Amino acid sequence: MQSSTVWAVCILVGTFNLACGLKEIRWCVTSTPEMNKCNHMKEAFESAKMHPLISCVVAASALDCAKKIANKEADAVSLDGGNLYQAAKEHKLKPVVAEKYDQEVGTIYYAVAVVRKSDNSITINNLKMKRSCHTGYGRTAGWNVPIGYLINTGKMSVIGCKIPQAVSEFFNQSCIPGAQRTGFPSSLCQLCIGDEHNKNECAEDDDERYYSYSGAFRCLAEQAGDIAFVKHSTVSDNTDGNNPNPWAKDLNSSDYQLLCRDGSRAEVTDWKACHLAKVPAHAVVVRLDTDGAAIFNALDAGQKKFGITSTGFKMFDSASYNSKDLLFKDSTTEFMLIKNQTYQAWLGTEYLQSLNGLDCYNMPKTLRWCTQSRGELLKCGAMAEAFNSKDLTPPIQCVSGDNPNDCMIKIKNKDIDAVTLDAGQIYTAGKLYELVPAAGESYTSDNDGASYYAVAVVKKSSHNAFTIDQLKGKKSCHTGLDRTAGWNIPIGTLIERGEIKPDKCNIDKAVGEFFSASCVPGAIEKGYPSSLCELCIGDAKGKSKCVFGAEEQYSGYTGAFRCLAEVGDVAFVKHTTVIANTDGNNLEPWAVNLKSSDYQLLCLNGVRAEVNQWRECNLAKVPSHAVMVHPSTPITAVFGLLDKAQDFFGNDSYPNGFKMFDSSAYNGSDLLFKDSTVRIISVGEKTTYEDWLGKNYLEAIKRIECSGAMIPSMMPSLFLLILMLLSFFI
Ligand SMILES: *[C@@H]1O[C@H](CO)[C@@H](O)[C@H](O)[C@H]1NC(C)=O
Ligand SMILES: *[C@@H]1O[C@H](CO)[C@@H](O)[C@H](O)[C@H]1NC(C)=O
Ligand SMILES: *[C@@H]1O[C@H](CO)[C@@H](O)[C@H](O)[C@H]1NC(C)=O
Ligand SMILES: *[C@@H]1O[C@H](CO)[C@@H](O)[C@H](O)[C@H]1NC(C)=O
């Protein structure tokens, strides 16, 4: 009856459907008891005349099953979320049928972080140096979810994927049963207490009294730890009289709270809203070309005959094999067809975030850094050597790129791994080359540090105090073409105010006509108005005039300010540029006698302000520079390396040795990183170029962008050509 329905469906929809032609489903098993159960399932399906038939294939592990399925040696297996992630990423399998338990559809449980209510200062954002209690090493709620989450959000940095080391440096002490392994730091087991005789400390079973859900909660309840990573039901299972054991019988659930991802806290009953991740149910995975509906139909027919009410073979029972959770979890009540059969949709963003944080697949062997000048190459070489001296991995390799665009292309092609770019370049890198941010620069030690202010600097003058609306005909100095503070923001601002009126998309031409002369490093190629390079001076020998890089002495923040000091009327730079190059802060001959009080800022409201009033008088607040990488590069490895490195080399006042945020030893400024960087910070949740840049900046940049046209001046003629061709045919 059931099988004929399946076949009827197959005949109806299956004429062109290979999967319906599935004569059998080769189920993958990983143990002898599982093989026995699988053989019983095969016989049961056969005797009920169900199709397709089942057969059983043995593999060494869940991941070996995934491999066999990918190689067409098997067809299906039910996997937990962690294995499903690997199976999907490494073997391109997809989830098609979910197990359903007595929970909300698609979920096994919620992984939560529990603290004592009385410790009212703890949040998810300040767990560093706290004492932690975990269900066990490698377990989902106690390890994978919380550690993956902390790494992925940049709260914990990891070097070279040595996760146990990172955890031991992050938490002061922990009890992580099972973490007593060679090479693992001892602090990971330090809070564990073992059995009643204080033996078997840190054992991965009930001999350790702080093992598993109840144990991890006990570790918190007995004040050994400050936080326990458990599941949503753990607190209520062990409080309010629900657990009669002496340690638990007097505990009151209202003495505990949950830490939420947004930094707040909630009552323990609020786990639906306040958790680290929703852990998905186990699901059956198959190859991409296998029809999920056919697999579901077969299992659905099976569960109707051999489900919980069956008197013979039972699909969701493993007790007859002296085991548990064979083929499917014993707590399964039924199967469900998965609608969106992508692993991302099935795992959900929160759980996926944790798994991404732990993903050590694809770890780069080296990190090839794109350098764009001789100074950068020198500094990069010194950086590689310095990092090496501290055994920081992956090791840095220095590779030359011609300019930011060349670096982006090489990263897209995976010839290079990383480069630091400014917001304008990040836009191009993300939009055209699909690069993603891996770490950011912060220019202060507070939370506002991941941004800076674009300002217009002028010389103080009593007789010629022109304002932002009187820039026409002035001589302008820019950090570089398409750069943020030097081009995108000021030109966007002047267009928005109606000062510059570009004809169609020809912004370069309009700028060239607006200012009497400029230095816009990079505007050297054919097609740019020559006035955009008129003020540039090139290198010390007068060569490389108006090139994008450091050879042009008027390029970058310092260069644009020098241009103002020597020839220009206005320089478009950032808020720290004047201070960094005046009052004795820059000892180069051109700067040594400059005074900050001789300069002013142009404000948007038409007045001028002193250079230290940038917070009130700026053109825009812009996102800071970021290290950009290929989307397949694990950003946690990049951030982990830089974060650890800055503990050694981030402090400019450190007397000897390499300094990450100082370029003076290489005769340059802002090499590899901006000199004003205080710290490298994690990108946190801002994992795309759009997240990093933010809505305001994206809007600003779109104002000066001509709808997708990369070579604006070609657009009209191309349009004409098409018109001509069309008219020819009509
Ligand atoms: C870390 O634990 C040690 C004991 O092992 C203690 O002396 C120290 O104060 C703790 N550090 C912090 C920051 O809590
Ligand atoms: C738990 O504590 C709350 C408030 O302190 C109290 O109202 C409640 O009765 C206690 N519950 C139990 C089971 O002791
Ligand atoms: C399936 O999920 C993926 C990942 O979450 C999403 O990008 C896609 O739009 C979804 N497809 C459908 C049909 O909903
Ligand atoms: C920096 O410039 C000085 C003088 O111009 C020169 O003597 C020195 O070799 C340069 N250093 C580097 C690293 O290029």
Side-chain angles (χ1 to χ4, degrees), residues 380-441:
C380 181
M383 178 162 90
E385 199 174 311
F387 286 14
N388 234 355
S389 73
K390 301 289 180 197
D391 282 330
L392 302 175
T393 54
I396 296 275
Q397 240 177 41
C398 308
V399 186
S400 293
D402 300 334
N403 51 48
N405 255 61
D406 186 43
C407 293
M408 294 176 208
I409 293 169
K410 286 180 167 144
I411 294 173
K412 183 184 167 67
N413 295 337
K414 306 204 77 172
D415 294 326
I416 293 188
D417 299 305
V419 66
T420 312
L421 298 176
D422 97 345
Q425 297 158 350
I426 290 170
Y427 181 75
T428 310
K431 194 165 178 205
L432 290 188
Y433 303 112
E434 289 159 18
L435 308 192
V436 297
E441 294 181 348

Side-chain angles (χ1 to χ4, degrees), residues 129 172-173 190:
M129 282 301 132
N172 192 1
Q173 299 160 23
Q190 212 162 340

Side-chain angles (χ1 to χ4, degrees), residues 374 378 664-667:
R374 187 180 141 70
L378 287 174
S664 56
Y666 316 95
N667 284 357

